[in-house]
Amino acid sequence: MNCFMDKDFLLDTETAKKLFHSYCENMPVCDYHCHLNPEEIYENRSPADISELWLKGDHYKWRAMRSCGISEDYCTGNKTGKEKFEKFAYALQYAIGNPLYHWAHIELQKYFNIDMPLCVKTADEIYDRANYVIKNGDFRPQSLIMKSNVKVVCTTDDPIDDLKYHKLLKDVEGFDCKVLPSFRPDKALNMHLDGFSDYIMQLGKAAGTEIKSYRDVIKALLKRADYFNETGCRISDQSFDYIPFTIAEDDEIEAVFSRAMSGAAVSREEAEGYRTKVLLALGEKYHQLGWAMEIHIGAMRNNNTAMFNAKGADIGFDSIGDENIAYSLSRFLDALNVKGRLPKTVLFNLNNKDNTVLASMLGNFQSEEAESKMQFGPAWWFLDHLDGMTEQMKVLGNLGILGKFIGMETDSRSFTSYGRHDYFRRILCRLLGRWVEDGWYANDENLLKEIVCGISYNNAMQYFDFK
């Protein structure tokens, strides 16, 4: 029997152990997609306890707790930190097979030097020990980022954001990490959702542009993209349940836009011509700026209306959609490519039924502009577990070029979630080690080192042109 999550956790061949411990275990981290708050990074306040560090804003943990019948008071409510931690420990002991179990214990080892399993019996001891470490150590956000050897953090930012804290962070002495914005225009694209007209007015104010037509929306977004570019942005990020692609006449788009701005309800189908037009204009702009375009596909959001009305978005009531995506995605990418204006693109899927769809789509639009210009993004959200990450890399290996893969990102709001990079690198080395020892790939140490170090860090730094 193997020891519980020891130094060789998941490394089940000698080749895997060699690749991990000799090459990628201590490499820096490029976190090119996350939801950290730049204001919190700049203000650099230490958490009150491990509950604030771990449970505040973490919908992964809340979902697990709710699945054990735990009251919302212990998730998003006002129970004490110790009470919340005890309830989380209760849920975690039943989370066998869930990556949350592995993440939590990697973080306990990495940041607190605690190697005992977290469960009801150990909850109070671990709570006290962790809080002692927090009180007597340095758990401020900047320190945790530095301790985790993170060199680049790309936050997720709305076009109307002033990016104040990104600018301030550039001048923080001794903080050796670039905190860069990412351009996320979803609210400007989602005409069919509540709050669209109010948001467009805010966008116009941020851009210093009066918005009277959909063309003005495009002008405002392009202006804000230039502003983001000046602040160091290298990435755009779009999230869709499916990719919109309907070519509509200008007068038709204008009529639907006018209705939406008046507050009238607009269906998803009616909005599609507008969304397509704006998204194509943005794609061309991203190409001009040399940005990469991330497209996250497949989230079905805010399913629980009662909880959305009570608590708002992003609290753990989203799930996987099952839309058809291949045709519209192909037509969107082709419409940019035929003009020579398709940017570097990273495609993420949330439904594993689409793994082979996206991996095969890459080859349609690769070019000499960049190595693996078209990327199959890492297993994301509901797929960032052992099976999901392994399957994503196997499919990319089968249908594309795994050696040029840009690797892991945290997609997290937590300052200790960098343990997920350790988890990913172990899974990567596990997969490559098995292939080598099964005789499927040559046991060429120099090439294997280049591949594993590339996927762990180097490929992303080169792809996104982080300097």
Side-chain angles (χ1 to χ4, degrees), residues 315-364:
I315 60 165
F317 295 96
D318 307 318
S319 59
I320 299 169
D322 61 355
E323 301 272 2
N324 293 323
I325 67 170
Y327 181 79
S328 58
L329 174 60
S330 171
R331 294 305 83 210
F332 168 66
L333 297 174
D334 189 60
L336 292 169
N337 189 67
V338 77
K339 293 183 175 182
R341 297 174 184 172
L342 176 62
K344 292 181 289 188
T345 302
V346 187
L347 302 174
F348 297 79
N349 60 292
L350 198 53
N351 193 325
N352 60 1
K353 76 176 179 62
D354 298 319
N355 277 353
T356 53
V357 171
L358 294 197
S360 67
M361 187 75 69
L362 306 179
N364 297 334

Side-chain angles (χ1 to χ4, degrees), residues 437-454:
E437 297 207 6
D438 285 344
W440 293 9
Y441 187 84
N443 189 17
D444 183 326
E445 188 168 343
N446 289 331
L447 265 177
L448 287 166
K449 175 184 176 182
E450 180 185 348
I451 289 171
V452 77
C453 292

Side-chain angles (χ1 to χ4, degrees), residues 377-395:
W380 161 56
W381 201 347
F382 294 107
L383 298 179
D384 58 358
H385 43 70
L386 174 60
D387 292 335
M389 286 191 272
T390 301
E391 185 61 25
Q392 184 269 345
M393 287 188 280
K394 287 173 67 175
V395 170

Side-chain angles (χ1 to χ4, degrees), residues 97-109:
N98 192 313
L100 188 62
Y101 187 85
H102 294 147
W103 296 341
H105 289 99
I106 288 172
E107 290 177 34
L108 284 175
Q109 293 173 6

Side-chain angles (χ1 to χ4, degrees), residues 131-145:
N131 288 340
Y132 178 85
V133 174
I134 290 172
K135 182 179 179 180
N136 292 280
D138 189 350
F139 276 71
R140 293 173 299 172
Q142 291 174 26
S143 300
L144 288 172
I145 289 171

Side-chain angles (χ1 to χ4, degrees), residues 397-421:
N398 287 334
L399 299 176
I401 300 295
L402 178 60
K404 295 298 181 180
F405 174 38
I406 55 174
M408 182 64 173
E409 36 72 34
T410 61
D411 189 39
S412 173
R413 293 167 173 81
S414 169
F415 291 106
T416 58
S417 63
Y418 293 107
R420 297 184 192 181
H421 282 262

Side-chain angles (χ1 to χ4, degrees), residues 152-422:
V152 178
V153 166
C154 294
T155 59
T156 303
D157 308 281
D158 193 280
I160 69 173
D161 290 347
D162 63 10
L163 307 182
K164 170 185 175 181
Y165 293 100
H166 295 87
K167 295 176 182 177
L168 290 172
L169 282 164
K170 290 181 179 180
D171 298 324
V172 174
E173 187 175 350
F175 182 48
D176 184 25
C177 176
K178 293 181 179 180
V179 179
L180 305 177
S182 296
F183 188 80
R184 177 100 171 221
D186 291 6
K187 290 181 180 178
L189 289 162
N190 292 332
M191 177 195 285
H192 56 298
L193 299 183
D194 291 342
F196 174 76
S197 59
D198 289 340
Y199 175 80
I200 293 301
M201 299 305 291
Q202 294 178 60
L203 174 64
K205 183 178 180 181
T209 300
E210 185 177 6
I211 296 180
K212 295 182 177 180
S213 72
Y214 88 87
R215 296 181 190 85
D216 294 330
V217 174
I218 293 174
K219 290 178 184 177
L221 287 171
L222 300 187
K223 189 172 180 180
R224 295 304 292 169
D226 285 329
Y227 177 75
F228 271 56
N229 191 61
E230 293 167 2
T231 313
C233 181
R234 304 298 306 151
I235 299 172
S236 70
D237 179 32
Q238 288 70 213
S239 179
F240 299 106
D241 45 2
Y242 73 105
I243 302 298
F245 193 80
T246 295
I247 300 300
E249 298 296 329
D250 281 1
D251 57 351
E252 180 183 348
I253 298 173
E254 206 62 80
V256 175
F257 177 76
S258 179
R259 285 175 50 210
M261 290 300 292
S262 70
V266 172
S267 70
R268 187 175 79 167
E269 291 72 24
E270 290 174 314
E272 191 156 311
Y274 163 84
R275 298 173 80 198
T276 301
K277 195 81 168 183
V278 176
L279 190 57
L280 287 170
L282 287 173
E284 293 189 24
K285 183 66 173 179
Y286 303 154
H287 183 268
Q288 176 196 334
L289 294 173
W291 291 3
M293 175 172 64
E294 294 179 349
I295 302 178
H296 289 80
I297 307 168
M300 189 164 62
R301 299 181 185 274
N302 305 318
N303 295 276
N304 188 323
T305 302
M307 290 304 295
F308 176 74
N309 290 339
K311 299 288 185 176
D314 300 323
I315 60 165
F317 295 96
D318 307 318
S319 59
I320 299 169
D322 61 355
E323 301 272 2
N324 293 323
I325 67 170
Y327 181 79
S328 58
L329 174 60
S330 171
R331 294 305 83 210
F332 168 66
L333 297 174
D334 189 60
L336 292 169
N337 189 67
V338 77
K339 293 183 175 182
R341 297 174 184 172
L342 176 62
K344 292 181 289 188
T345 302
V346 187
L347 302 174
F348 297 79
N349 60 292
L350 198 53
N351 193 325
N352 60 1
K353 76 176 179 62
D354 298 319
N355 277 353
T356 53
V357 171
L358 294 197
S360 67
M361 187 75 69
L362 306 179
N364 297 334
F365 302 104
Q366 300 289 17
S367 83
E368 63 187 13
E369 291 180 64
E371 292 188 317
S372 287
K373 171 183 173 179
M374 306 298 295
Q375 287 276 340
F376 183 15
W380 161 56
W381 201 347
F382 294 107
L383 298 179
D384 58 358
H385 43 70
L386 174 60
D387 292 335
M389 286 191 272
T390 301
E391 185 61 25
Q392 184 269 345
M393 287 188 280
K394 287 173 67 175
V395 170
L396 179 55
N398 287 334
L399 299 176
I401 300 295
L402 178 60
K404 295 298 181 180
F405 174 38
I406 55 174
M408 182 64 173
E409 36 72 34
T410 61
D411 189 39
S412 173
R413 293 167 173 81
S414 169
F415 291 106
T416 58
S417 63
Y418 293 107
R420 297 184 192 181
H421 282 262
D422 179 279

